[in-house]
Amino acid sequence: MDERSQDAQALGLHRRLMQYDPVLGYRFAPGLKLRIPHEGGGYLVRTNRDGFRCDHPITVNKNRAHRLLVFGDSYTAGDGVSNGKRYTDLMEKQLPDTEILNFGMSGSGTDQQYLIFREYAGKLDYDAVVISVLVENIQRNLVKERGWADRAGEAIRVPKPWFELSSDGGLTLKGGPVARPYKADRSIAPRGAGALRASLRNMVNMLGPDFKDLCQRLMRFQPLPEYGSSRSDGWKLLRAILERWASDLTVPAVIAVIPVYQYVEETASYKHVRQRFDELAQSIDVPVYHVVDDLLRHPAPMRRQLRFRRDCHFTPAAHTLIGQALSKVVAPMLHAGATCEAHPSSVGAAVLADAPPAMPVGDIGRPARTAGAECPSPFDRFRA
């Protein structure tokens, strides 16, 4: 079996890990313990009962002195590496008496990650939050479905929820309850600039990773042109979601900007990505940490080892570097969070370590559902 066939097999198997979710579109199936074939030699996936690649159960009360919630996509969930070797696992080893809940969900956009936060954060006791934003999410947030493979390797379309941005900057959540996956109609060809980019990318990928890397070095292809303007639809939506998320926070937090490999290997300019997120940081009370800055400290040959040969996800070496760097960013946040009063109104304050809130909290800013009470749909919160 050649490398391309192995990758296709691994992709199909990976997608078997997911199950339908009416709010998020999909999530990991709960209670899994599987080894996934991969070019890196295979990796172990374990999920908890809530359907996240987190080795801890999601409990209301903290099990250690500090608790950190981390949100993100496959770069945070850890595609390609085993539980125990991801940057969140390494952070947990470096931060004293700290429990880290990894809410990373492969294939998700910042929109879905924010919905995960809304579902869980108001019910838990925690001290700080890391919002890991893969820069590619500027495109993911705009789509209403994604293309995957089903258990038999057949192409399917997987719907997801999405936000629409109104002229006054308001967000409305659409697509709920999310439709179930369906088989793709191959007779309908995708259209538009996005489809053209995808077609060209697929053509280059078919020629192999070495040819792809050569093309990138020579052409310096900008993978995410949407960052070139603060008025692009992708950036306006991503910024609005992050601003809403920041306004909901009641603990110290940081936005960790996760780069794609072209920025790490300096075959594309990171200038506009940095500019957009630095502009965002000026308008919210949440700092922005550019992960690429710590990765660029290392020589180019080493930086090429931070992704797999064919799979662009982080290798264990990359997770180690990111875990070390992000631990230094998060450490003061945890101590600040543990000394603040429970759920104050000011942004950036934290839940008191041992003091419960005056009333049970279900969703942020909303009382918890009591016995017999109707539970509102998450989609209701965003309707005009």
Side-chain angles (χ1 to χ4, degrees), residues 247-252 337 340-352 357 364:
S247 71
D248 285 353
L249 289 165
T250 58
V251 299
C340 294
E341 295 182 358
H343 294 287
S345 59
S346 60
V347 174
V351 179
L352 189 64
I364 296 175

Side-chain angles (χ1 to χ4, degrees), residues 75-76 87 132-136 256-260 289 291 314 322:
Y75 285 70
T76 296
Y87 72 84
S132 293
V133 182
L134 178 67
V135 291
E136 187 180 294
V257 184
I258 306 294
V260 292
Y289 162 59
V291 172
F314 290 143
I322 294 170

Side-chain angles (χ1 to χ4, degrees), residues 73-334:
D73 68 340
S74 56
Y75 285 70
T76 296
D79 281 21
V81 299
S82 298
N83 286 44
K85 296 183 178 180
R86 302 161 300 170
Y87 72 84
T88 53
D89 304 309
L90 299 167
M91 289 173 64
E92 194 171 72
K93 294 176 182 177
Q94 297 193 28
L95 296 168
D97 205 9
T98 298
E99 174 187 36
I100 297 181
L101 300 185
N102 185 326
F103 286 96
M105 187 171 75
S106 298
S108 63
T110 307
D111 46 7
Q112 293 162 292
Q113 295 153 26
Y114 174 50
L115 294 179
I116 295 172
F117 170 82
R118 295 282 306 196
E119 179 179 350
Y120 285 95
K123 305 172 185 176
L124 307 178
D125 184 16
Y126 57 100
D127 302 301
V129 170
V130 173
I131 304 171
S132 293
V133 182
L134 178 67
V135 291
E136 187 180 294
N137 286 357
I138 196 171
Q139 296 175 346
R140 287 186 188 178
N141 298 328
L142 293 172
V143 302
K144 302 175 183 178
E145 57 183 31
R146 300 198 67 193
W148 277 356
D150 66 8
R151 295 173 186 268
E154 294 291 326
I156 59 173
R157 305 301 298 178
V158 182
K160 61 179 281 292
W162 71 93
F163 285 101
E164 290 186 356
L165 186 62
S166 63
S167 58
D168 62 358
L171 286 173
T172 303
L173 185 60
K174 298 286 188 177
V178 179
R180 289 183 176 274
Y182 62 95
K183 288 203 173 177
D185 186 348
R186 296 180 180 273
S187 66
I188 302 177
R191 299 179 179 179
L196 178 59
R197 285 200 302 267
S199 178
L200 292 173
R201 185 163 54 245
N202 289 337
M203 290 175 58
V204 172
N205 289 342
M206 290 179 64
L207 296 174
D210 295 333
F211 180 78
K212 178 181 177 180
D213 289 350
L214 176 62
C215 288
Q216 180 63 42
R217 288 195 299 270
L218 294 177
M219 300 177 63
R220 300 191 65 80
F221 170 71
Q222 175 53 260
L224 300 167
E226 294 87 349
Y227 286 103
S229 171
S230 62
R231 296 185 296 275
S232 72
D233 291 340
W235 172 249
K236 287 192 295 184
L237 181 58
L238 176 56
R239 175 169 180 156
I241 294 170
L242 290 172
E243 287 176 336
R244 173 70 69 87
W245 198 335
S247 71
D248 285 353
L249 289 165
T250 58
V251 299
V254 62
I255 294 173
V257 184
I258 306 294
V260 292
Y261 74 87
Q262 291 93 335
Y263 302 134
V264 176
E265 297 169 23
E266 296 184 291
T267 58
S269 173
Y270 188 75
K271 174 183 176 181
H272 290 143
V273 180
R274 185 185 302 279
Q275 185 177 356
R276 297 286 85 79
F277 278 99
D278 287 350
E279 290 168 355
L280 170 68
Q282 296 298 316
S283 66
I284 58 177
D285 292 325
V286 178
V288 167
Y289 162 59
H290 294 279
V291 172
V292 72
D293 289 340
D294 278 293
L295 301 182
L296 288 176
R297 299 177 188 275
H298 302 279
M302 180 178 179
R303 279 184 272 132
R304 179 57 185 87
Q305 302 305 311
L306 300 182
R307 62 178 170 105
F308 296 100
R309 183 168 183 266
R310 301 188 67 91
D311 181 356
C312 62
H313 286 96
F314 290 143
T315 60
H319 281 276
T320 297
L321 295 178
I322 294 170
Q324 292 171 347
L326 198 51
S327 293
K328 297 176 183 178
V329 174
V330 167
M333 293 167 41
L334 291 171

Side-chain angles (χ1 to χ4, degrees), residues 49 57-63 67 122-126 357 361:
R49 64 188 180 190
I58 299 176
T59 58
V60 172
N61 297 319
K62 295 185 291 187
N63 296 303
R67 177 185 272 178
K123 305 172 185 176
L124 307 178
D125 184 16
Y126 57 100
V361 176

